Amino acid sequence: GNTTVTKLYLGFNAVGDGGAAAIADALAGNTTLQSLDLNNNAIRDRGATALGNALQHGCSLSLLYLGGNAIGDAGAAALAGALAANATLRALHLGGNAIGDAGACAIAAALAENTALCELYLGGNRIGERGGTAIQGALVRNGELRKLGLHNIELAAPLCNKCEALVLMNVQGLCNCKAAINSVPNDVCAASDAVIVAFLRGS
């Protein structure tokens, strides 16, 4: 097995589901590879599910790039299941896929329990109000996430701002204030920094 390669870049190839499944088989039990880039490889739910399974079986990846593929709700749910069990993954890039509200809700459920992930990118998906609200609720409980990408999705700006505010509170060590921030109506959240500043001034 591999004992030397820590980063593998395979972006912009035609890996597809079959290739992703083969890579996943090799990843299971691998404790050397830290970063895997599979951006823009026509990977769908089957490939994402295989990678999710690998993350639950001794894989030590800390960075996984799956942007620009065709991963939908089923694949997102499989990756979410991995997040619930995996303690090594620090960054997950899922921008530009086909993830909808069901997939976002699955990821949110995992975020509420996960204590390892620091970066999550979901921009350019099909996430709407239901998925965004689920993510917001998860962020009230999650104290580890430091970066959250929600650009180019069909989500109202105030809800995005609330999510960003909750992540910013992780960065600034204000997790104990999250419940109060979360109670601020979304329609008065003009910007994430402004939400926190307004709260602190009134506390």
Side-chain angles (χ1 to χ4, degrees), residues 91-181:
L92 178 59
H93 293 247
L94 288 170
N97 279 283
I99 299 168
D101 282 339
C105 287
I107 290 171
L111 276 181
E113 306 297 332
N114 182 280
T115 58
L117 197 70
C118 297
E119 300 181 18
L120 175 63
Y121 299 92
L122 295 170
N125 280 286
R126 301 170 183 173
I127 300 169
E129 202 76 6
R130 182 166 67 93
T133 300
I135 290 171
Q136 175 188 326
L139 290 172
V140 176
R141 294 177 58 184
N142 180 292
E144 301 302 322
L145 206 66
R146 298 294 189 268
K147 293 182 180 179
L148 175 65
L150 293 174
H151 61 284
N152 296 329
I153 60 176
E154 296 181 3
L155 201 59
L159 182 51
C160 282
N161 291 336
K162 178 71 73 63
C163 290
E164 290 172 358
L166 292 167
V167 172
L168 185 58
M169 296 186 87
N170 287 348
V171 175
Q172 296 185 350
L174 298 172
C175 293
N176 60 325
C177 301
K178 280 187 173 184
I181 286 292

